[in-house]
């Protein structure tokens, strides 16, 4: 009898455990990339390598990695031992002196190490079995996966002639008339001889980073419509959403927030349009507000305004799924706390107009981050007629919102003809939290505060009548009205009397002149 009870209790426990949500248990067991220490010797200002550190930061962010960035001048003894993964970027020439404390720590370092650029440390050379041939100036062609680019101008490059381990891509030298691996790795060590911002060498680095960071999950390719503002052609946006829906193409709309006057008809029409976009298989992502100045009397205004807009979206049944921002926002405490903290998903754009408020060396990592690349740039790396395949990380092809019908027709024709398969952003898990609302998505469903949102495509007609300037109190209106009438009567009477005197004077003067003429 007692054995039977034990058996029944065990069976009941198994049933309870089996009923636990699989997705949460699975997420808990999914390894996440470690925090990475990124060291560089020079920002390479005014050289072809300028910006490659920033490009590397954005690549690492797309894998969900938290990054701490320091120059070698900031290095302190023992810093390497706090990280299991370290990346070294060497942009400077041989004259740059590496700190002795770093050299000593590197000799004892047991973690994963990736070197980018020249002057490869001896332990990395030995681990990779490297032999190289240096070329000062050259024209190279790069091919990796289905991507390729010809006639890349390179300076101070080392071509790998011998290695041990795995090779990534092929870099063909015009001067040497031979091909070499673009990058190589072996166990915990990796090496990328050349990486600059703005050409295929930037994107190619992601293929090695995926393996070096031990990222195993499948990756998605998204379509993103950018530069959508409250003053955009909303009727055209409705039409574009309808045509994408009819073509079976899911998309992400990166929309600019309205930070004030949310009760104005213009703002309400904007929200109505976004609700329609959402109903047409469009996922809404809120773009970071434009930073016009870093000077403000109230540094908390960003937090309250972002919260108000997110709650306004929720009130309209619109579910924002992430934040779109330039990369530098993740390296700023003010923007991270007051602007990014509502979101667990991000879409990161390259820096264009950097305006730090409280800069920090450690980035804010997100559960989901999407790497962005202009659609025309990525397609220039793919042979005509080929269907784009997913990249090593989640990525979005960026299209500017067309501002006229001709551009809309051109965009739709291009999307339909190339047969690229885009993923639906809301099928991934995304969460946005304010003090009032919790919104998000998963498995294609949108929800607000636990309630599934039914997609509604019916547009509400918003009246244009609105008192944009509130009228003040009118307690003295009647008094001023009577006073104005009295003044009008007095002025009119004065003008009549003055006109009469002028007329009488004119008659007297004329009579006198006539009488004088007769005497003569």
């Amino acid at each position: 009898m007692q054995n039977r009870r034990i058996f029944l209790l065990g069976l009941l426990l198994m049933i309870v455990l089996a009923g636990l949500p699989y997705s949460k248990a699975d997420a808990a067991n999914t390894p996440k990339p470690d925090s990475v220490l990124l060291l560089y010797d020079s920002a390479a200002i005014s050289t072809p390598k300028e910006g490659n550190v920033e490009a590397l930061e954005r690549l690492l962010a797309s894998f969900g990695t938290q990054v701490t960035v320091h120059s070698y001048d900031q290095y302190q003894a023992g810093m390497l031992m706090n990280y299991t993964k370290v990346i070294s970027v060497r942009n400077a020439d041989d004259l740059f002196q590496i700190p002795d404390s770093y050299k000593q720590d590197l000799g004892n370092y047991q973690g994963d190490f990736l070197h980018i650029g020249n002057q490869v440390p001896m332990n990395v050379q030995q681990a990779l079995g490297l032999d190289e041939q240096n070329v000062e100036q050259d024209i190279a062609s790069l091919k990796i996966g289905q991507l390729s680019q010809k006639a890349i101008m390179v300076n101070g490059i080392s071509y790998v002639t011998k290695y041990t381990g795995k090779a990534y891509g092929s870099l063909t030298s015009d001067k040497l008339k031979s091909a070499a691996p673009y990058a190589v790795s072996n166990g915990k060590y990796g090496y990328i001889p050349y990486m600059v911002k703005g050409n295929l060498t930037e994107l190619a680095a992601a293929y090695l980073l995926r393996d070096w960071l031990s990222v195993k999950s499948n990756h998605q390719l998204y379509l993103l419509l950018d530069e959508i503002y409250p003053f955009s052609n909303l009727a055209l946006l409705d039409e574009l959403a309808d045509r994408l829906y009819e073509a079976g193409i899911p998309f992400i709309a990166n929309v600019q927030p309205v930070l004030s006057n949310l009760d104005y008809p213009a703002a309400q029409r904007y929200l109505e349009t976004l609700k329609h976009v959402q109903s047409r298989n469009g996922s809404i992502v809120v773009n970071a507000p434009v930073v016009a100045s870093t000077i403000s009397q109230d540094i908390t205004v960003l937090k309250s305004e972002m919260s108000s807009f997110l709650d306004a979206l929720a009130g309209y049944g619109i579910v924002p799924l992430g934040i779109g921002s330039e990369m530098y926002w993740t390296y700023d405490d003010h923007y991270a706390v007051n602007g990014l903290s509502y979101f667990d998903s991000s879409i990161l754009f390259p820096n264009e107009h950097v305006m730090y408020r409280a800069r920090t060396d450690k980035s804010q990592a997100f559960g989901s981050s999407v790497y962005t690349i202009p659609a025309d740039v990525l397609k220039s790396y793919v042979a005509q007629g080929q269907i784009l395949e997913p990249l090593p990380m989640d990525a979005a092809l960026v299209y500017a919102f067309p501002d006229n019908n001709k551009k809309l027709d051109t965009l739709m024709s291009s999307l339909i003809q190339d047969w690229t398969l885009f993923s639906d952003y809301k099928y991934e898990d995304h969460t946005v939290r304010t003090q009032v609302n919790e919104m998000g998505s998963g498995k294609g469903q949108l929800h607000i505060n636990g309630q599934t949102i039914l997609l509604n495509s019916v547009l509400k007609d918003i009246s244009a009548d609105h008192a944009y300037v509130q009228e003040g109190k009118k307690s003295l209106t009647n008094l001023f009205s009577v006073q104005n009438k009295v003044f009008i009567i007095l002025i009119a009477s004065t003008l009549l009397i003055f006109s009469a005197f002028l007329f009488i004077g004119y008659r007297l003067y004329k009579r006198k002149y006539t009488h004088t003429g007769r005497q003569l």
Side-chain angles (χ1 to χ4, degrees):
M1 185 70 178
Q2 186 176 2
N3 291 337
R4 184 179 178 183
R5 289 179 180 177
I6 294 174
F7 173 77
L8 291 174
L9 288 173
L11 182 61
L12 179 62
L13 180 61
M14 291 176 63
I15 293 173
V16 171
L17 291 175
L20 291 175
Y22 174 78
S23 59
K24 291 185 178 180
D26 185 58
N29 295 326
T30 301
K32 294 185 177 180
D34 298 323
S35 178
V36 171
L37 174 63
L38 174 57
L39 297 169
Y40 66 94
D41 56 7
S42 168
I45 304 297
S46 300
T47 73
K49 294 181 180 179
E50 180 179 356
N52 64 352
V53 174
E54 174 199 314
L56 185 59
E57 291 171 355
R58 198 161 70 95
L59 285 171
L60 290 168
S62 69
F63 290 106
T65 306
Q66 186 180 61
V67 183
T68 301
V69 184
H70 289 295
S71 68
Y72 278 107
D73 293 335
Q74 299 171 309
Y75 187 82
Q76 298 178 359
M79 187 179 290
L80 282 186
M81 308 311 168
N82 297 324
Y83 299 86
T84 58
K85 292 183 180 292
V86 174
I87 300 176
S88 170
V89 179
R90 298 299 304 271
N91 288 328
D93 55 25
D94 294 336
L95 299 177
F96 183 85
Q97 294 296 321
I98 296 293
D100 292 335
S101 57
Y102 170 78
K103 294 178 181 178
Q104 184 175 352
D105 288 345
L106 184 60
N108 300 320
Y109 182 68
Q110 299 299 316
D112 298 345
F113 189 88
L114 171 61
H115 186 86
I116 300 176
N118 296 325
Q119 303 156 51
V120 186
M122 186 57 66
N123 60 336
V124 178
Q125 293 185 38
Q126 293 173 351
L128 296 175
L130 283 182
D131 276 339
E132 298 181 285
Q133 185 170 356
N134 299 326
V135 177
E136 285 301 319
Q137 290 185 336
D138 198 5
I139 298 176
S141 298
L142 174 59
K143 180 175 177 56
I144 189 164
Q146 71 169 162
L147 310 178
S148 63
Q149 184 180 11
K150 297 180 179 179
I152 303 174
M153 299 295 298
V154 294
N155 296 276
I157 187 173
S158 297
Y159 291 102
V160 175
T161 57
K162 183 181 178 181
Y163 67 94
T164 300
K166 181 179 180 179
Y168 297 84
S170 175
L171 197 61
T172 303
S173 166
D174 184 65
K175 184 171 289 187
L176 300 179
K177 306 298 181 184
S178 61
Y182 165 73
V184 293
S185 70
N186 187 22
K188 63 182 182 180
Y189 293 102
Y191 171 48
I192 301 175
Y194 193 83
M195 175 187 169
V196 299
K197 180 182 178 181
N199 62 29
L200 186 54
T201 62
E202 173 185 344
L203 197 54
Y207 288 81
L208 183 145
L209 285 172
R210 175 184 55 189
D211 293 344
W212 188 75
L213 292 169
S214 301
V215 177
K216 302 298 184 183
S217 59
N218 295 324
H219 302 291
Q220 311 299 327
L221 189 63
Y222 302 105
L223 185 158
L224 185 140
L225 298 176
D226 196 20
E227 300 179 16
I228 298 175
Y229 301 92
F231 50 80
S232 296
N233 188 331
L234 300 183
L236 203 63
L237 180 56
D238 286 333
E239 182 181 350
L240 176 57
D242 289 338
R243 293 178 66 173
L244 287 170
Y245 181 74
E246 292 168 1
I249 302 175
F251 63 98
I252 302 172
N254 186 37
V255 304
Q256 199 68 27
V258 178
L259 301 180
S260 60
N261 302 322
L262 286 164
D263 58 333
Y264 282 13
Q268 294 176 16
R269 282 192 291 271
Y270 185 50
L271 296 179
E272 284 290 335
T273 300
L274 297 186
K275 184 168 68 173
H276 180 74
V277 168
Q278 179 178 267
S279 73
R280 292 310 191 198
N281 222 15
S283 298
I284 304 298
V285 168
V286 179
N287 196 61
V290 176
V291 180
S293 172
T294 57
I295 301 173
S296 175
Q297 293 181 351
D298 184 6
I299 64 173
T300 64
V301 67
L302 172 63
K303 187 172 186 178
S304 60
E305 289 180 339
M306 281 293 289
S307 178
S308 296
F309 182 66
L310 295 175
D311 289 334
L313 290 176
Y316 251 80
I318 302 168
V319 182
L321 299 181
I323 178 77
S325 74
E326 293 182 33
M327 185 67 209
Y328 79 93
W329 271 57
T330 64
Y331 286 90
D332 189 291
D333 281 336
H334 171 66
Y335 298 133
V337 172
N338 297 309
L340 305 181
S341 59
Y342 299 106
F343 309 88
D344 74 347
S345 300
S346 67
I347 294 180
L348 298 177
F349 295 87
N351 292 339
E352 292 185 4
H353 187 53
V354 177
M355 297 188 73
Y356 286 108
R357 184 66 176 273
R359 186 171 185 175
T360 179
D361 295 323
K362 183 178 291 186
S363 69
Q364 174 176 331
F366 293 86
S368 168
S369 292
V370 175
Y371 181 89
T372 59
I373 182 170
D376 57 343
V377 172
L378 183 59
K379 289 183 178 181
S380 69
Y381 300 149
V382 180
Q384 189 173 5
Q386 273 193 320
I387 299 175
L388 285 173
E389 300 172 358
L391 297 175
M393 63 293 199
D394 287 344
L397 271 65
V398 180
Y399 291 87
F401 171 63
D403 54 8
N404 58 55
N405 286 295
K406 183 177 180 180
K407 292 181 180 179
L408 189 152
D409 291 338
T410 301
L411 173 59
M412 288 304 306
S413 176
S414 172
L415 291 173
I416 292 173
Q417 288 177 8
D418 67 13
W419 291 95
T420 298
L421 297 177
F422 294 104
S423 299
D424 193 336
Y425 192 63
K426 62 179 174 288
Y427 271 83
E428 303 298 322
D429 293 331
H430 307 287
T431 303
V432 179
R433 292 186 180 91
T434 68
Q435 290 185 346
V436 179
N437 295 290
E438 179 174 325
M439 302 160 277
S441 70
K443 298 181 180 179
Q445 298 293 322
L446 301 175
H447 58 81
I448 298 177
N449 298 325
Q451 300 295 319
T452 301
I453 299 301
L454 299 177
L455 302 182
N456 181 10
S457 63
V458 179
L459 288 173
K460 185 191 298 183
D461 188 20
I462 303 298
S463 173
D465 296 334
H466 185 81
Y468 288 94
V469 178
Q470 297 296 326
E471 296 183 2
K473 194 174 182 179
K474 300 180 179 181
S475 59
L476 299 178
T477 299
N478 292 333
L479 176 61
F480 289 136
S481 178
V482 173
Q483 190 179 53
N484 289 339
K485 291 178 181 178
V486 172
F487 284 144
I488 291 172
I489 294 172
L490 288 176
I491 293 171
S493 301
T494 303
L495 289 173
L496 287 173
I497 295 172
F498 183 70
S499 299
F501 279 123
L502 284 176
F503 180 73
I504 294 170
Y506 173 74
R507 294 290 300 271
L508 291 175
Y509 178 78
K510 184 177 180 182
R511 186 181 301 171
K512 180 179 179 181
Y513 176 79
T514 305
H515 179 71
T516 304
R518 289 175 179 175
Q519 288 181 344
L520 294 174

